[in-house]
């Protein structure tokens, strides 16, 4: 079939090609309702599909952004992505989502692929392993926003939870429930991922604030595959912890699995709080006490910042945008 062109639409509608172009780009300032109706009918009758690639080359923008998430399995990540997509959809932008699996090589490949596709900007949950690529994008003034992780020495707008406050709220609640042997487990600290480091730091500060000893054996930062071993070691202690803060949703599920397999009653034998208000928290038995992140607000802010940069409307100095956590008390404490 012969491809329908903009000229075909103009001919059928009885207008110029430039008028059709203005219609497609939503520039209606001097266009009558009758003209708009004729163009709309011509497009419908001919089945015309605009050549997005050609338009992008001409306008030097694609109205598309890329989102590279470190690990899409986290409930926090999926909520943030949903908020980004909603905001972009409302502003006529498309979103391409990539999952880096916390792998710097995959992340680098995705950055290069998305830039080759001429996306207008990137929102990245950075692995921290591609410093040169990050620096190059900053030097080129390429629109860029980080989420959930800080890369030291880089001036990039970053969306982040107040992680120390999150840990403090958990410890404070445990103390109010008369616990003194309080532990924390998070995933590996080898790459110095911001939330993991900050949550442990916040835990330590809270323990000191409440006059409780910091016991190294109660603090674990290991790969997900080794959390069961870490829990075994922790509960083999002469005085194991009676309360644990799970650093994220994946750690929380590992602790729940361990408790089930080892007949540990929650909350009678072990009090438990998880960072991230997972969807099953209120319907689990017992219902899970959690620290909620305002993920939708964080995702919307990330998208707003990026689109402002793309439109050259964001003139402020790059900074860290912190969001407050919320303690949701249920039945596991």
């Amino acid at each position: 079939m012969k491809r329908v062109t903009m000229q075909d639409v103009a001919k059928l509608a009885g207008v110029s090609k430039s008028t059709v172009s203005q219609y497609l780009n939503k520039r209606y300032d001097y266009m009558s309702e009758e003209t708009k109706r004729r163009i709309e009918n011509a497009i419908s009758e001919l089945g015309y599909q605009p050549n997005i690639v050609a338009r992008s080359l001409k306008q030097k923008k694609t109205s598309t952004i890329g989102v590279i998430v470190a690990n899409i399995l986290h409930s926090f990540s999926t909520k943030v992505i949903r908020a980004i997509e909603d905001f972009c959809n409302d502003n006529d932008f498309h979103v391409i989502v990539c999952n880096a699996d916390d792998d710097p090589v995959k992340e680098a490949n995705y950055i290069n692929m998305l830039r080759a596709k001429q996306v207008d900007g990137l929102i990245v949950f950075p692995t921290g392993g591609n410093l040169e690529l990050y620096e190059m994008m900053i030097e080129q003034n390429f629109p860029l926003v980080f989420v959930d992780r800080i890369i030291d020495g880089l001036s990039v707008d970053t969306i982040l939870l107040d992680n120390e406050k999150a840990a403090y709220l958990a410890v404070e609640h445990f103390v109010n429930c008369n616990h003194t042997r309080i532990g924390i487990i998070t995933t590996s600290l080898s790459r110095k991922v911001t939330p993991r480091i900050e949550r442990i730091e916040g835990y330590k500060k809270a323990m000191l604030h409440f006059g409780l000893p910091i016991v190294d054996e109660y603090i674990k930062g290991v790969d997900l595959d080794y959390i069961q071993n870490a829990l075994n070691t922790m509960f083999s202690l002469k005085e194991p912890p009676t309360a644990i803060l799970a650093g994220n949703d994946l750690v929380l599920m590992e602790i729940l699995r361990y408790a089930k397999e080892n007949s540990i009653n929650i909350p009678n034998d072990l009090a438990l709080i998880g960072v991230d208000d997972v969807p099953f928290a209120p319907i689990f038995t017992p219902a899970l006490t959690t620290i909620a992140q305002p993920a939708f607000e964080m995702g919307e802010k990330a998208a707003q910042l990026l689109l402002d940069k793309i439109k050259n409307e964001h003139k402020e100095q790059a900074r860290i945008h912190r969001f407050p956590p919320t303690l949701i008390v249920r039945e596991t404490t």
Side-chain angles (χ1 to χ4, degrees):
M1 287 179 62
K2 180 187 173 186
R3 181 179 178 85
V4 178
T5 66
M6 193 184 299
Q7 185 63 52
D8 297 328
V9 174
K11 184 177 180 180
L12 182 60
V15 299
S16 68
K17 185 177 174 181
S18 64
T19 301
V20 175
S21 177
Q22 288 171 5
Y23 174 87
L24 293 172
N25 288 297
K26 299 181 179 180
R27 296 199 296 269
Y28 308 132
D29 294 350
Y30 303 103
M31 194 177 298
S32 70
E33 290 300 320
E34 171 62 19
T35 299
K36 285 194 282 186
R37 184 186 62 78
R38 292 208 312 271
I39 295 172
E40 183 180 351
N41 289 343
I43 288 172
S44 177
E45 184 177 333
L46 294 171
Y48 173 69
Q49 291 289 332
N51 188 329
I52 301 298
V53 175
R55 188 193 300 181
S56 299
L57 289 171
K58 186 174 181 180
Q59 297 180 347
K60 295 184 179 178
K61 70 185 186 96
T62 59
S63 295
T64 302
I65 69 162
V67 179
I68 304 176
V69 61
N71 188 339
I72 206 165
L73 291 177
H74 289 293
S75 61
F76 168 73
S77 300
T78 55
K79 290 174 184 175
V80 170
I81 291 167
R82 173 59 190 269
I84 291 169
E85 200 280 331
D86 283 349
F87 188 88
C88 287
N89 183 63
D90 290 342
N91 287 273
D92 296 320
F93 268 73
H94 305 290
V95 181
I96 300 173
V97 178
C98 302
N99 175 45
D101 275 330
D102 277 316
D103 181 350
V105 175
K106 281 188 75 174
E107 179 188 55
N109 288 338
Y110 282 136
I111 289 173
N112 291 327
M113 177 272 289
L114 289 167
R115 295 208 63 188
K117 288 183 178 292
Q118 303 294 309
V119 295
D120 297 329
L122 288 176
I123 295 174
V124 182
F125 296 60
T127 64
N130 289 295
L131 192 59
E132 289 184 4
L133 268 178
Y134 308 146
E135 288 175 338
M136 181 180 70
M137 288 188 284
I138 294 167
E139 288 170 6
Q140 295 172 345
N141 290 319
F142 183 75
L144 179 66
V145 172
F146 285 163
V147 175
D148 200 39
R149 300 176 181 187
I150 297 170
I151 305 299
D152 290 335
L154 296 185
S155 181
V156 179
D157 276 295
T158 303
I159 306 297
L160 209 62
L161 183 71
D162 186 342
N163 290 296
E164 290 194 9
K165 179 68 173 178
Y168 181 92
L169 289 174
V171 172
E172 180 182 48
H173 184 61
F174 283 142
V175 170
N176 290 338
C177 294
N178 299 315
H179 291 280
T180 57
R181 302 204 307 268
I182 302 167
I184 181 170
I185 302 179
T186 186
T187 35
S188 175
L189 304 174
S190 61
R191 285 208 183 96
K192 296 183 169 54
V193 174
T194 308
R196 303 171 197 175
I197 299 293
E198 291 185 346
R199 287 168 196 173
I200 287 178
E201 189 61 29
Y203 157 87
K204 289 179 178 178
K205 288 179 179 178
M207 295 292 283
L208 292 174
H209 175 81
F210 291 106
L212 298 175
I214 295 172
V215 180
D216 289 341
E217 289 81 6
Y218 291 176
I219 303 171
K220 301 291 182 183
V222 297
D223 287 330
L224 206 61
D225 293 340
Y226 295 98
I227 285 178
Q228 297 296 311
N229 291 338
L231 287 164
N232 259 329
T233 301
M234 196 178 277
F235 283 97
S236 297
L237 296 169
K238 185 177 179 181
E239 290 188 319
T242 60
I244 290 180
L245 170 61
N248 61 46
D249 55 339
L250 301 183
V251 173
L252 173 69
M253 287 188 279
E254 287 296 314
I255 295 173
L256 291 172
R257 181 160 72 91
Y258 182 87
K260 181 179 180 180
E261 292 175 356
N262 290 275
S263 301
I264 296 173
N265 182 278
I266 297 173
N268 295 330
D269 301 328
L270 176 69
L272 181 62
I273 296 176
V275 178
D276 289 328
D277 191 38
V278 291
F280 60 85
I283 59 174
F284 190 82
T285 303
L288 303 170
T289 297
T290 59
I291 304 288
Q293 301 194 59
F296 288 101
E297 290 90 337
M298 294 167 78
E300 183 174 307
K301 182 64 174 179
Q304 179 201 329
L305 282 170
L306 188 68
L307 265 58
D308 285 349
K309 290 172 185 288
I310 291 168
K311 298 171 184 175
N312 291 316
E313 294 175 0
H314 184 74
K315 306 297 184 183
E316 297 177 19
Q317 186 75 19
R319 65 185 181 90
I320 297 169
H321 304 259
R322 292 275 184 183
F323 286 75
T326 303
L327 172 68
I328 301 177
V329 178
R330 295 191 181 98
E331 299 170 353
T332 53
T333 48

